[in-house]
Each structure stands twice: as C-alpha cells, then as structure tokens.
Amino acid sequence: MECPSGLRSLSLFFLVGAASSSVLPPRDPLPNGFAAAPYYPTPYGGWADDWSESYEKATSLVSQMTLAEKVNITAGTGLYMVREETLIQIAGISTGATFNKELIYERGVAIGAEFRGKGANFYLGPSVGALGRKPRGGRNWEGFGSDPVLQAKAGSQTIKGVQDQGVIATLKHLIANEQELYRMYQLGVQQAYSSNIDDRTLHELYLWPFAEGVHSGVGSIMASYNAINGSAASQNSYILNGLLKDELGFQGLVMTDWLAQISGVASALAGLDLSMPGDTVGNNIPLDGYSNWMYELTRSVLNGSVPVDRLNDMTTRVVAAWYQLGQDKDYPPPNFSSNTADREGPLYPGALFSPVGVVNEYVNVQADHKVVAKQVAQEAITLLKNNGSFLPLSTSSPLFVFGTDAQADPQGVNSCTDKSCNRGLLGMGWGSGSANYPYLDDPISSLKRKVTNVTYYATDSFPTVPAPTSSDVAIVFVSSDSGENSYTVENNHGDRDASGLTLWHGGDDLIQKAAAKYSNVVVVIHTVGPVTMESWIDLPSVKAVLVAHLPGQEAGDSLTEVLYGEASPSGHLPYSIPVSESDYPASVSLVATPTLSQIQDTYSEGLYIDYRHLNKEGIKPRFAFGHGLSYADFSFSNASITAVTALSAVPPTRPTKPASPVAGLNATIPAAAEAYWPSNFDRIWRFLYSWLPAGEADAAYAVGSTGSASYPYPDGYSSAQRSDGGPPAGGPSGGNPALWDVAYTVRVTVTNSAAARLGGKAVAQAYVQFPADAGVDTPVIQLRDFAKTGAALAPGGSETLELSLSRKDLSVWDAASQNWVVPAPEGRYGVWVGGASDDTPVVCYTDTLTCEVGVAGPV
C-alpha cells in the first residue's frame, strides 16, 4: 500500500511510546456547587492565523489517508515498543527560583537542541501543574513555583526555547494535578481523586499558566490523571472542549498522560487527540495488550459511535503540530533507545522474540549546555540568612563538612531507577520527570578543589569531632525529597506524606548538634519545596542559610563559587517558607479516604494559596515568597509608570471565529475495506495496530451505515459545531487577543551601593493591589511580572528594568458573564515593586500615573 507523501516520515513522530477500560465503581457524590458541565462537540482546530499554513498542509495530507492511517497516528504503538528519553534536566523549581526570563529561555533552547539531536519529536514539558497548591505535593519540583504568573512566564519562555529548535513542547498536566496519592484510576477498584474547583479559582490560578502557554504557541498539552469536578481529565469535555479548545483557542493536540486513558468513545468525544502510549494497563500483564483506541477507535468510527469529523480533527491536529514545528523538513530520525544502554538491542522490545539491531548510536548532544546548566543552578541559589555578612567565606578558614547530601551517591550517581532514592546529593526529585546524570559535580569535590583544609564527615548523624576553634566553619548539607507516586521512597508515596515539611535523614538534629559545637555554621538545603526550620534558624551559631533547590549535574562549582564570593547569590524563593505547616489552610492538606470510592479534594481556599493566604490572614512567614538576599546592596529609584492601552470594564468583543479547513474534509463513514488487515502482513506480537479483521470491520460498518444501533451518548452531547461565535472571553491562541494588550509599563532603576563589597544581579518583582473600592474580593497583592538585571551590577552600578501589566493582569474572572472584567477601570491600582513579596519599597498608581519610593509595603 502506497503511503501518502509525508506519512512515512510522520511515523517517526511517535518516539514517546496505558489505562484500563474496566467498569468503574460508583463515585462519592460531588460537593454541592461543583459539576463538570458537558461541552460538545470538540471545536475544530485550524482557525488561528498563526497556524493556518500548517493546517492547510495537514488537511491536504489527511485527505489522502485511509481510515486505518488516520487512526494509527492518534495513538502510540504500545508501552513496551518505544519510550521517551529525557536528557538535560534542570529542575523546574530551580529554574523558577532564578527569576530570569532570558536564562529560562536559554534552558529551553538547550533542552530543545538535545531532544532534536536525539531525533525526539516531543519534549514532555514544561510542567505548570502541579501549581504548588499543596506544599507536600510530590511533583511541585517539576514546575516553577507556587504562583500562576511565575509558572506562566517561566513556562512560556521554556516553550519558546524548546520550539525554536523545532521540538514540540508538551505543556502539562491539565489540570489540578496537585497531589500524587490516589491520582490514577486503578483497574476499576480505586478512582482517581476529584479536584473540585470553582470557576473563578480555576481561571485565575490553575488555568492561567496554560493560557499563557497556548498564547506562546505550544504544540501539545498533556491531560492529567485526576478528575476535575467529578470527570476524568482525559475525558472531561468542559476542560478539553470548552476551556482549552474553545475559550483558549488551542490549535495543537491533547495527549493523555501515560496510563491515563480510561475510555474509548467518551475520551474521543470529549476532545482527546492522542492516546499515549496507546495501550492500557493490560499491556503490563502479558500475554497481550489492549487499546481503547487503535483498532477499537477504527471500530467506533465504522459503527458511527465516533463521528468521522472528530477523527478528522484529531488526526489533523497531530499532523498540524508536526508541520507547525517544521518537522517535515530535515528532522533527524531517532538514534537512541530508552530500553537499553547497549549499542545493539531488540528492535521490538515488547515482543517475545525480536530481531536485534543497532538501537543506540550514542549521538552526543550535550554541546556546551553545561554552561546553561551551571548558570541556572547558580542563579537559583537563594540566600535566606547571612548574619553579619558572614558569607562569602575565606578559603583560609578551616572547613568541616557534614551530611551525605554533600557527596554523590556512593553506589553510583544513576544507581536508583528514576532517582527513586535519596542517597547522597539530592539533585532532582524522583519519577518520570527525572533523568540520568551525564556526570555529576558534587559539592564536596568542588570544596576540596577550592579549599586546602577540608574535613568531610560523610554521615547524617553528628560524629565525634575535635574541639573547634573560633575560626572553624561547619557547612551542613541537608535535604527533603519527593516525586511521582510510581515509587515509594522512605515511606513517602510521591508526596511528602510521611516526612511532611521536615528535613530528611535527621537533618534538623544534625544542624542543631553542629550549631552546638561550632560557632560558625552554614546550612545548605537541597529541597523540592518548603521545609520548616524553626528548631534551628535563630540559633546564634547558624550564620548563613542557602537553599540550593535541585541543582542537577552542576551542583558543585555552582554552589562553592557563591560560598566563596566568586558569584553573588541571586535566587529568590518560588514559594513561601512558613513558620509552621499549620499556617497553611487546612484544605491544602493531602486527602485520603478509607474507602475505595472517589476521593473528593475540594479547593475551598479558593484563590488563597501560599503567600496569598498568609497575607490575607496576617500570618508572617519565616521567609516570604520572592525572598532572596545578595552580597550586593540594592536600592530602587527613578520609578515611573506609563499608560499604554486604555481600559474598559470588559474587553473589546472577541474576533469572529473563521471557518476551519477541517470542515472541508470528507465526514462520511468510509468503506469497511479501509480498515482491513493487509494481506500477508507480518504482525509483531503486542504491537498495537489500527486494522480490524475483515469480518469485524464489515459488521461495524453495517451498524454505522444503517444506524441500526446507537451509542449511549452523554447528556448534552451534540455533533453539530457550535454557531454561537464562541465564549465571550475566547479567541485564537490564548483567548481574546485584547487580554494580552499591555495596559501599563513600569520602569525602575536598581542600583548597587558604591559601598557594597561585591556585585550581583538584582530582581524586581511587580505585585498588583486592586482598588479598595473594586467591589470584589482579591488577594492583598498578586505577582504580575518580574525582571532581572542582565549582568552583575558592580558597586555603584545601576540598570533600569521594565515591567509590564496586561489587561488580564488587572482583571478578575466573572463567572456570571464568563468574561474577564476590570472591576474599576479608573480606580487606584497599586503596582508594588521590590525584591520580595514582603519587601516592596516602590509603589506606582494607575489613576495618577505617579510613583513613590521608600514606602512601606502593604504586607
């Protein structure tokens, strides 16, 4: 059979290559006021100008495909056939802590270059969900921090960097995947928990970074495992069809998370486009696999259950993304295997018997990316405390180092599968978001290169030590880990459910005992998120505390250069550090149930997570969101605000939604022969195919062509494309284009004092305070933009930074009108600027276009 032009190379698209269709038990009733409203049908893609050329090419190719060919590219070929390879992996939480948009972009470029060099079509990132609602959440470290704007801007820069290399970025996990425990539907026994969220909270917090990602042109979005308002994410028509594809105007494809698909027809109708890895949990249990799609989707189209136009749209979205990133031209084929590190291996690793061939060509794609890796690791380092300007250290001081976290894992830096142990240096969390180290520069090796008098105690229990002198310095390395629920590490099931926010391996005790012995103690924390530190933070011997986050392979020199003053710390906390875990709202605790029914996780705190909650309740954190000290001495001056776009209460009417080229594709049920198995085809065992035996195809076609039976469609289902013009807030690639109009710009000069000892990079963070008479409940302040100086400012040096506020930044979501509303267009919005959420000495007012410097902030 002759492949249409382009289809053969498109098959290389599926380098990333599971869920049960078992009957699910009844779920607990949703709390009052929460429901996943039906939203049908799936809007066609192809109506955004910036995707029009790709859709023209895609529809031309799809129009030449048979039914089986269309279906074949809506699913992977099976869990054991091919798997994704992750390469350079600098944790998202470290990246967010840099508050450096340009550096975040460069990290994306490096990731994209490595994936392209390996012939990988997709990068399964960035992650902007989990947002960080739950401080114990297992995968918070994969994202950029506990604020929607920080997540949005870091996610956007990552997407641009990756996709500028021609690799399809996959924004994940849509949506409200804030806990690892009970995240998945398990073989009809345990349902995934339901995240129950009101409409305003959903828009202003959890959907915000996804909207920014769509606006940045992301090619793919991954649905999460959990349910939202009672409906599983991968078949939630309100989320996928309504919010993502209609309101946000997403033109790319929606894929499942691995093992997340729990139905066939229902997920297709709800807006899912790509099932990954294609099979279900059945393929984890030999002898054979099962797919909810592939041959079953072919059957569902032939019998009329899934309309042909829905399949056309699914297929076209996949192909359009391929064209949009230029992967039809000179894109390298895959040259690696994730199933073996050997040069030769099974060509079909899922099969009982497989031919052997070259599967790893060992293409080195690292280039000079270690430079970016080190810069991210270093600019993330956040100095929490520096009493008496104790840091930087002198290389002449005798150094005593404690804690196994200072050294590489003695059993091998990649000895634990998916980093599913916390042994030695904690450079990343565990699970599918981790990666093998290409090398590891650990802190103790770097310290020994830099300092001649170093004594290392590779233990987490304080040892017997000689009596110290007053000049001796102790550095204590401690950690706190988390990851994906696929592994349990030291009784933590992904989330930090066992350890809580305390340091692992007796870290608090190690610090206290070191502080009792030494008069000069420096604490270095490698952590996935906030940890409590009240038992030692105020001890007089604890002179300095640094959070090095998750530094990856460049953990050594990136840190020691800061310790010894070769670089100044410039990281800022991407979350708050509380005095006590009880300072958070009770509703953000991990949820569980003794029954096997669906767990209800209700977001009753609404908009008030992290610093928003602490500010509302007047709770002073130990260290506020955005906090970060420097060896430099920064001040802000010469602030100004400029009005750019006049604001009205509601945005200008959204643009008219044009017709999609998908509507021109043939939507008639095709002949059954298009689904027949090819004659004399040599089938690979456990490989998933889209063909059906002729008898089964004929039987399905007979049903579909005559309408002799009907699928039990969900309430509210319609196959007719909507003619209402779309949601008021909607529009192409991110929603109504007017939402992205710049309303105000703020300029401020940051200066390093001439008396400062050292230079350093400065960060300006802009927080919006809504008018007191706005008539709507809003957080005290909300981050809306940030900027970092391009180079370290020498003593006496200065740089002017510009911050922008869009219409959306000054709006609230109005559930009644289903639109973004500026509650007081002529009102007095305060734009507070400073180095942390609790340190904003500059304020600019939108009503008078005036600014004040040296004022007390609102928190």
Side-chain angles (χ1 to χ4, degrees):
M1 184 180 296
E2 185 68 24
C3 285
S5 174
L7 187 57
R8 192 180 309 279
S9 52
L10 185 61
S11 66
L12 299 177
F13 192 74
F14 296 103
L15 290 175
V16 286
S20 171
S21 62
S22 304
V23 176
L24 295 169
R27 64 175 180 233
D28 288 349
L30 288 172
N32 290 334
F34 296 96
Y39 201 104
Y40 297 99
T42 303
Y44 296 149
W47 52 275
D49 289 344
D50 53 342
W51 282 73
S52 60
E53 183 178 350
S54 296
Y55 266 84
E56 288 178 10
K57 294 177 181 178
T59 52
S60 176
L61 179 58
V62 171
S63 69
Q64 303 174 58
M65 293 182 186
T66 66
L67 170 61
E69 288 168 344
K70 292 177 184 178
V71 169
N72 191 54
I73 59 172
T74 64
T77 54
L79 182 65
Y80 289 97
M81 301 306 136
V82 236
R83 299 183 183 180
E84 182 215 21
E85 174 166 285
T86 53
L87 302 164
I88 183 173
Q89 183 69 27
I90 311 161
I93 201 68
S94 296
T95 308
T98 70
F99 278 73
N100 186 334
K101 294 176 190 173
E102 291 74 22
L103 181 56
I104 295 169
Y105 172 80
E106 290 302 324
R107 169 184 177 264
V109 168
I111 291 171
E114 292 196 357
F115 271 70
R116 184 185 181 102
K118 287 291 188 181
N121 300 77
F122 285 93
Y123 164 57
L124 298 184
S127 174
V128 295
L131 181 67
R133 169 185 179 242
K134 299 192 177 195
R136 293 192 183 197
R139 299 183 77 176
N140 294 350
W141 64 272
E142 295 183 39
F144 303 103
S146 300
D147 180 89
V149 169
L150 178 58
Q151 291 266 20
K153 294 188 181 298
S156 172
Q157 292 301 313
T158 303
I159 290 164
K160 291 174 182 177
V162 168
Q163 295 198 162
D164 281 352
Q165 307 307 302
V167 175
I168 302 170
T170 303
L171 195 61
K172 62 183 184 182
H173 307 84
L174 187 74
I175 193 169
N177 189 174
E178 299 293 322
Q179 175 177 308
E180 284 299 287
L181 284 163
Y182 306 108
R183 64 180 180 158
M184 294 183 70
Y185 288 79
Q186 301 286 353
L187 285 171
V189 176
Q190 174 70 57
Q191 295 199 60
Y193 63 78
S194 175
S195 296
N196 304 318
I197 317 177
D198 68 86
D199 195 29
R200 183 182 172 196
T201 299
L202 186 64
H203 277 80
E204 292 190 27
L205 289 190
Y206 302 95
L207 192 65
W208 189 290
F210 286 96
E212 185 106 12
V214 173
H215 186 63
S216 299
V218 71
S220 173
I221 286 179
M222 181 185 289
S224 56
Y225 287 117
N226 56 286
I228 304 96
N229 293 339
S231 177
S234 61
Q235 57 185 52
N236 190 312
S237 64
Y238 178 73
I239 297 295
L240 302 184
N241 289 342
L243 293 185
L244 181 62
K245 293 185 174 180
D246 212 355
E247 184 180 314
L248 298 186
F250 176 56
Q251 304 296 304
L253 65 102
V254 176
M255 70 167 70
T256 63
D257 204 336
W258 268 231
L259 295 166
Q261 189 182 23
I262 61 172
S263 70
V265 174
S267 59
L269 301 179
L272 185 67
D273 303 305
L274 179 61
S275 172
M276 294 306 296
D279 51 4
T280 69
V281 75
N283 234 19
N284 286 317
I285 307 172
L287 297 169
D288 202 1
Y290 173 79
S291 176
N292 284 316
W293 278 4
M294 281 303 205
Y295 50 87
E296 290 296 345
L297 181 56
T298 298
R299 190 192 318 276
S300 297
V301 172
L302 287 174
N303 67 25
S305 299
V306 174
V308 174
D309 72 331
R310 173 76 271 260
L311 175 62
N312 287 341
D313 181 63
M314 293 159 63
T315 307
T316 303
R317 285 176 178 271
V318 174
V319 179
W322 183 65
Y323 278 121
Q324 182 77 355
L325 274 298
Q327 294 186 358
D328 58 315
K329 297 177 181 178
D330 303 319
Y331 203 85
N335 53 52
F336 70 95
S337 170
S338 291
N339 294 287
T340 178
D342 297 334
R343 182 175 183 272
E344 294 188 347
L347 299 178
Y348 310 116
L352 185 62
F353 302 103
S354 171
V356 172
V358 175
V359 293
N360 278 309
E361 298 176 26
Y362 303 122
V363 176
N364 188 334
V365 296
Q366 294 179 50
D368 62 350
H369 300 153
K370 64 183 299 181
V371 176
V372 174
K374 180 185 173 185
Q375 188 177 354
V376 172
Q378 188 165 87
E379 289 202 23
I381 294 172
T382 307
L383 181 60
L384 301 184
K385 174 183 178 180
N386 192 22
N387 278 9
S389 297
F390 183 74
L391 294 180
L393 299 172
S394 167
T395 55
S396 63
S397 298
L399 197 63
F400 299 84
V401 181
F402 300 87
T404 59
D405 182 64
Q407 67 178 359
D409 183 347
Q411 297 185 33
V413 297
N414 296 314
S415 60
C416 293
T417 303
D418 292 336
K419 298 295 177 285
S420 56
C421 66
N422 185 9
R423 190 170 55 226
L425 172 82
L426 180 64
M428 63 185 81
W430 75 77
S432 61
S434 67
N436 282 342
Y437 292 117
Y439 59 89
L440 178 60
D441 177 29
D442 61 8
I444 192 60
S445 299
S446 180
L447 285 168
K448 289 179 177 179
R449 292 193 299 267
K450 197 173 295 289
V451 185
T452 56
N453 191 354
V454 179
T455 302
Y456 178 43
Y457 298 95
T459 175
D460 294 317
S461 299
F462 193 75
T464 300
V465 298
T469 68
S470 59
S471 62
D472 289 350
V473 176
I475 302 183
V476 183
F477 285 83
V478 290
S479 69
S480 180
D481 200 1
S482 73
E484 194 170 10
N485 186 232
S486 47
Y487 300 95
T488 297
V489 179
E490 299 184 33
N491 296 318
N492 292 276
H493 301 84
D495 306 306
R496 292 186 283 176
D497 55 314
S499 66
L501 304 189
T502 59
L503 294 169
W504 285 34
H505 307 153
D508 294 304
D509 185 65
L510 182 63
I511 295 168
Q512 291 175 70
K513 289 181 177 177
K517 192 75 174 181
Y518 292 86
S519 57
N520 303 305
V521 176
V522 176
V523 177
V524 176
I525 306 171
H526 291 121
T527 180
V528 293
V531 294
T532 52
M533 50 187 69
E534 293 308 300
S535 64
W536 51 264
I537 187 64
D538 287 328
L539 295 176
S541 296
V542 177
K543 296 296 199 304
V545 180
L546 302 104
V547 176
H549 303 284
L550 301 173
Q553 64 260 36
E554 288 288 339
D557 284 353
S558 64
L559 173 66
T560 61
E561 288 174 6
V562 169
L563 289 173
Y564 287 94
E566 297 170 55
S568 179
S570 64
H572 291 257
L573 284 177
Y575 45 73
S576 303
I577 293 180
V579 171
S580 167
E581 191 172 359
S582 63
D583 290 344
Y584 296 116
S587 57
V588 303
S589 300
L590 300 177
V591 293
T593 179
T595 70
L596 295 179
S597 56
Q598 186 178 56
I599 295 165
Q600 302 299 316
D601 187 8
T602 301
Y603 289 41
S604 56
E605 76 285 346
L607 302 175
Y608 295 98
I609 63 171
D610 199 83
Y611 71 92
R612 299 160 180 248
H613 164 77
L614 298 173
N615 292 343
K616 178 184 180 182
E617 299 300 326
I619 300 171
K620 183 175 176 59
R622 170 52 70 171
F623 295 106
F625 176 91
H627 173 81
L629 304 178
S630 172
Y631 300 154
D633 181 15
F634 298 121
S635 61
F636 295 97
S637 62
N638 300 325
S640 64
I641 182 171
T642 303
V644 179
T645 303
L647 295 179
S648 53
V650 295
T653 303
R654 60 163 292 168
T656 302
K657 187 176 179 180
S660 164
V662 175
L665 292 171
N666 189 341
T668 304
I669 296 176
E674 290 193 15
Y676 291 175
W677 274 96
S679 59
N680 302 317
F681 186 83
D682 186 12
R683 182 176 181 179
I684 301 166
W685 179 69
R686 295 181 83 186
F687 206 93
L688 298 173
Y689 298 97
S690 56
W691 294 295
L692 287 170
E696 293 183 23
D698 290 342
Y701 178 78
V703 172
S705 60
T706 62
S708 59
S710 178
Y711 180 81
Y713 293 104
D715 293 341
Y717 175 73
S718 171
S719 62
Q721 289 287 305
R722 292 173 177 247
S723 58
D724 57 6
S733 299
N736 189 337
L739 296 173
W740 307 96
D741 289 343
V742 174
Y744 298 93
T745 58
V746 173
R747 291 171 63 84
V748 63
T749 299
V750 59
T751 301
N752 185 12
S753 168
R757 291 186 298 161
L758 294 168
K761 291 188 175 183
V763 169
Q765 304 167 30
Y767 296 85
V768 166
Q769 183 179 31
F770 277 68
D773 59 353
V776 61
D777 179 46
T778 58
V780 178
I781 55 172
Q782 301 174 76
L783 181 70
R784 285 301 186 246
D785 199 7
F786 54 89
K788 195 169 193 174
T789 55
L793 298 180
S798 64
E799 183 176 333
T800 298
L801 299 175
E802 183 170 290
L803 304 148
S804 297
L805 302 175
S806 68
R807 166 184 283 277
K808 187 177 178 184
D809 289 331
L810 302 173
S811 301
V812 298
W813 178 256
D814 182 60
S817 65
Q818 289 292 288
N819 210 342
W820 290 97
V821 174
V822 179
E826 306 298 326
R828 189 176 180 83
Y829 286 83
V831 184
W832 295 88
V833 179
S837 63
D838 66 345
D839 178 21
T840 52
V842 176
V843 62
C844 297
Y845 297 108
T846 60
D847 57 343
T848 60
L849 297 182
T850 59
C851 299
E852 299 175 18
V853 177
V855 297
V859 296

